[in-house]
Amino acid sequence: MIVEVKTPNKNYEILIDKLPEIKIDSKVAIITNPTVSGLHINKLLSKLQAKEIHIVTLPDGEEYKNFDSIHFGLDRLFDAKFDRNSVLIAFGGGVIGDMTGFMASIFLRGIKFIQIPTTLLSMVDSSVGGKTGINNKYGKNLIGAFYQPEVVYINPDFLKTLPKREVSAGMAEVIKMSVMFDKVFFENIKDNKCTIEQIIRRSVELKSEVVTQDEKEKGIRSILNYGHTFGHVIENLTNYSVYLHGEAVAIGMVMANRLAVKLGYLTEIEEKEIIKCLKENDLPTTFQIKDVNDFYEHFFADKKTLNNSIKFIIPNGIGNYKIVKDVDKEIILEVLGEFKI
């Protein structure tokens, strides 16, 4: 199956199928991590032809999504005398995809890169749309660029070796998109009526539709941050070492839903349906906040906060969305207070 993404800067295809033969008439660097390399590198190498192939292995985990890893990767490219015709291949999950895209965007002011995601989360979300970047002490993905890949190859076979926890983390992003945009899709997920291929396809279709309309998150693309405003704070407070990204997003969705209920956009029945769906996909739905005021202050480090105004993405029923700004601080603190230790 082919899904097209069209943006002002680039049009490209997402191919959902077996990994095809890939021929590149230049130097190529496969950017990966030890886990993915150990499981799948031979599969990729058997499909790849290039003038030279280099493998750059970065540490595995969100806590390594930083400038140290970027510098290491860039140094390997300079050591191998890469040039502006060279190509990077992101071969891994969302962390590898984000870092590879960022490296591609800044190496010699921009070279081509290809996404080959190996986790469910990266297949349904992060590999599509050109968001690249790294974390720092102030928050998540605060340094980066919008930089589109040449093509995205999604091979569901890679999921066969994925730990169950990683599959669940990917489902958080799937549920997020269904709650925001497609009630029928949500119902099918809830009732376990979708195959993994159908889940990937519908998620990619929804993401590509959004990116096509709004490449650089000036409007509708911000809706994809449902669950992320709260979730990014959770990741930052736990030093990116307790929760997988999808797990933090799941908890963030629960918090956003509580806000939506208090503001009258979501019923308690709908709230419970979403929580049930998250739990059935083995996702966490609770978090113990130590200091609600400290949690609140972390919102202002989020890149979506403008002019000291926090923007929240919340459900307007299931299958629709609402952007709310300038929510009374006391209401937000009240929501956070329900998660206090």
Side-chain angles (χ1 to χ4, degrees):
M1 180 193 168
I2 297 175
V3 177
E4 291 188 355
V5 180
K6 298 179 180 180
T7 74
N9 292 306
K10 182 178 290 181
N11 298 342
Y12 58 95
E13 294 180 336
I14 304 160
L15 285 75
I16 306 171
D17 203 347
K18 302 289 186 183
L19 199 61
E21 299 291 332
I22 304 170
K23 296 182 180 180
I24 300 173
D25 189 27
S26 64
K27 292 182 180 180
V28 172
I30 300 169
I31 314 296
T32 189
N33 63 43
T35 304
V36 173
S37 181
L39 290 168
H40 301 300
I41 198 69
N42 290 334
K43 173 74 170 175
L44 177 54
L45 291 173
S46 72
K47 297 288 187 178
L48 179 61
Q49 294 181 38
K51 281 188 175 179
E52 290 180 21
I53 299 175
H54 299 260
I55 300 172
V56 179
T57 305
L58 302 180
D60 190 7
E62 189 82 32
E63 63 267 38
Y64 299 106
K65 191 177 164 184
N66 54 35
F67 266 127
D68 288 341
S69 296
I70 296 296
H71 284 309
F72 177 84
L74 292 174
D75 284 350
R76 302 292 76 74
L77 303 183
F78 286 117
D79 289 343
K81 296 181 171 58
F82 271 49
D83 58 33
R84 285 181 170 169
N85 292 321
S86 303
V87 178
L88 305 187
I89 295 178
F91 190 47
V95 171
I96 287 294
D98 283 4
M99 289 198 292
T100 303
F102 186 44
M103 273 191 277
S105 76
I106 60 176
F107 183 77
L108 302 179
R109 294 197 176 97
I111 62 173
K112 295 178 179 178
F113 85 107
I114 293 169
Q115 285 271 19
I116 304 180
T118 59
T119 66
L120 182 59
L121 189 148
S122 58
M123 289 179 185
V124 300
D125 187 56
S126 62
S127 69
V128 180
K131 274 190 178 181
T132 74
I134 56 174
N135 309 328
N136 66 3
K137 67 180 182 179
Y138 297 100
K140 187 177 174 68
N141 296 329
L142 296 181
I143 301 165
F146 288 97
Y147 196 72
Q148 302 295 341
E150 299 301 302
V151 64
V152 182
Y153 296 117
I154 296 177
N155 179 5
D157 284 351
F158 288 131
L159 299 178
K160 292 176 181 176
T161 58
L162 198 66
K164 192 173 186 305
R165 185 183 175 195
E166 290 278 1
V167 174
S168 294
M171 283 304 298
E173 296 285 0
V174 173
I175 294 166
K176 172 200 79 175
M177 283 187 277
S178 71
V179 172
M180 290 289 97
F181 299 113
D182 191 337
K183 185 174 183 178
V184 173
F185 187 32
F186 174 81
E187 295 293 338
N188 286 338
I189 294 166
K190 187 186 69 172
D191 296 336
N192 202 26
K193 291 182 178 178
C194 295
T195 65
I196 196 66
E197 289 80 10
Q198 289 170 330
I199 284 171
I200 293 170
R201 184 184 72 184
R202 186 58 186 143
S203 298
V204 168
E205 286 174 344
L206 289 170
K207 181 74 181 279
S208 64
E209 287 171 11
V210 171
V211 172
T212 296
Q213 294 178 63
D214 177 22
E215 179 185 11
K216 296 190 175 179
E217 205 170 298
K218 301 295 185 183
I220 191 174
R221 188 168 181 175
S222 66
I223 305 307
L224 297 174
N225 291 308
Y226 165 49
H228 288 62
T229 303
F230 291 94
H232 284 173
V233 175
I234 291 167
E235 288 180 288
N236 186 256
L237 289 173
T238 56
N239 297 312
Y240 306 99
S241 59
V242 175
Y243 297 101
L244 296 175
H245 175 62
E247 294 172 336
V249 168
I251 300 169
M253 289 164 60
V254 174
M255 292 179 171
N257 293 349
R258 193 88 285 269
L259 179 60
V261 170
K262 286 188 180 295
L263 295 176
Y265 292 104
L266 192 72
T267 68
E268 290 190 352
I269 292 173
E270 291 169 323
E271 179 187 31
K272 289 175 182 175
E273 281 187 357
I274 297 169
I275 289 174
K276 183 181 178 185
C277 189
L278 292 169
K279 286 182 175 179
E280 286 178 350
N281 282 278
D282 299 314
L283 285 159
T285 56
T286 60
F287 178 75
Q288 294 186 321
I289 297 175
K290 294 179 181 178
D291 184 334
V292 294
N293 287 293
D294 180 57
F295 195 106
Y296 179 82
E297 289 302 318
H298 273 74
F299 286 136
F300 294 98
D302 193 284
K303 58 188 176 298
K304 296 176 292 298
T305 298
L306 295 173
N307 301 319
N308 280 330
S309 175
I310 311 166
K311 179 170 69 176
F312 292 102
I313 312 301
I314 59 174
N316 186 7
I318 294 175
N320 210 339
Y321 57 83
K322 183 76 177 177
I323 301 173
V324 293
K325 301 176 184 176
D326 301 317
V327 179
D328 188 280
K329 179 180 178 180
E330 292 307 312
I331 294 176
I332 300 170
L333 292 178
E334 194 176 308
V335 169
L336 298 177
E338 295 190 25
F339 294 86
K340 194 176 186 307
I341 292 174

